[in-house]
Amino acid sequence: MAEPHAAPVAVGPRVGDETIAFSLADPNRRLVGVELRHELDLPGQDTRFGYDETAGAWTLTLPRPPIRRMEYQLTLYHPDGASETVTDPTNPVLTPGAFGDKSVLGMPDYAAPAWLAGEQAWPIGAELNVSTGVGPVEITVLSPDEPTSRLLVAHDGPEYDRLAALGRFAATMVRHGRVPPFHLALATPGARDERYSANPAYATAMVGSVLPELRRTLGTDGPVVLMGASLGGLAALHIQRRHPTQVAGLFLQSGSFFVPQYDEVEKDFRYYNRIIRYVAAVLRGQGSGRAVPTTLTCGTAEENVHNNRLMAATLRRQGYPATLHEVPDAHNYVAWRDSFDPYLVDLLAKVWADSGTRWGDGGRVRDA
């Protein structure tokens, strides 16, 4: 005899014109609750599933957010009080992330970038372990066959390469003549939260030790572009403003430019107050230094979009040729990957248009 509610039920996520619907079969009601976990900014939206007795399933329907893909997990609540956060067992589409796999719900209008089918990443040209005042900084450099003095340094570099195919992107864009040849330096974060949270000691380490060692090893003296996402974007901006002659361009993705107005939810983060003080100094114009081409990207549906809008407007007022591009996604590596073309391409082409540009060794501004 069939179990109660064992008849086939509709399960799994479904995308409508105006809504998205989730359903998880539980005909014997072994769970006491299910909740959707995501990184979208959906104020006022309840993400707890309700139980549909007729379908024998937990269900949730939400207004369709302004995105083309959605990464999410489910938290399952058990009768004994235990809970677990898992990928959606009804959805086979997964994506890796810095904190584990997530389920992916693609909208009908989403397409992955064509360059993912392009060139293989360049081989490793150098591996450095640079001693600094904040501990060793490990760098893996991917280098093209052509000689070049240009350098792109990526915070969270190994993660960018593994989760966003940054090495493949670089090789493909150079191969097709979209940008001139350059070295790609993938910086391992180490103590990420401490280093990337507007830490003056880290900025000094990068400019005083890491960049000089990269230049010596690679024989380069050309323009350096810094890039980073989330805290890595904050760290890139912080380095440029403290040492403005060392950085020729910035690519900042979903930067953690916390301000109390928008980011009180982050107040338990250990370095929240340091970031708040630093960002306030930037907003006041302290240490504006030398303005450089700056591109910001941010998801339309992530919490950081509000502070990124504020930062982009602030930088423009201070003379930076800064642009913010909002993309229909959230705070994740695929969103950042999908923004490389055209936004990183355009920035690199602009900064490196004059391959003979040289950058000095001096310069430091006040603490901002």
Side-chain angles (χ1 to χ4, degrees), residues 10-64:
V11 297
R14 301 182 303 280
V15 179
D17 291 338
E18 298 181 355
T19 62
I20 53 175
F22 301 86
S23 181
L24 179 66
D26 183 15
N28 296 320
R29 205 159 182 177
R30 293 190 173 96
L31 300 172
V32 297
V34 179
E35 189 168 1
L36 181 71
R37 300 294 183 185
H38 61 82
E39 293 184 340
L40 303 178
D41 186 19
L42 301 176
Q45 292 295 327
D46 191 350
T47 56
R48 294 171 296 180
F49 285 51
Y51 192 74
D52 184 331
E53 295 282 356
T54 302
W58 296 92
T59 65
L60 173 68
T61 299
L62 295 174
R64 181 171 164 179

Side-chain angles (χ1 to χ4, degrees), residues 62-86:
L62 295 174
R64 181 171 164 179
I67 55 175
R68 293 194 182 129
R69 54 184 299 282
M70 176 179 181
E71 296 185 9
Y72 69 98
Q73 295 172 306
L74 302 179
T75 296
L76 311 180
Y77 296 96
H78 299 278
D80 62 0
S83 65
E84 57 179 329
T85 298
V86 300

Side-chain angles (χ1 to χ4, degrees), residues 119-124 142 161 166-169 171:
E119 303 293 314
Q120 293 296 317
W122 300 316
I124 294 175
L142 307 182
D161 192 36
L166 182 58
R168 180 183 289 271
F169 163 81

Side-chain angles (χ1 to χ4, degrees), residues 128-132 134-139 187-189 195 202 205-206 210:
L128 287 70
N129 190 318
V130 185
S131 296
T132 77
V134 295
V137 177
E138 298 180 1
I139 307 278
T188 300
R195 289 179 176 181
Y202 178 70
M206 287 296 291
V210 175

Side-chain angles (χ1 to χ4, degrees), residues 2 8 13 31 41 48 64 73 85 88 107 111 168 191 194 204-205 213 225 227 279 303 318 355:
L31 300 172
D41 186 19
R48 294 171 296 180
R64 181 171 164 179
Q73 295 172 306
T85 298
D88 185 348
M107 308 299 160
R168 180 183 289 271
E194 178 184 359
T204 298
E213 185 61 28
V225 176
M227 68 179 288
V279 173
E303 291 177 348
Q318 295 175 5
S355 61

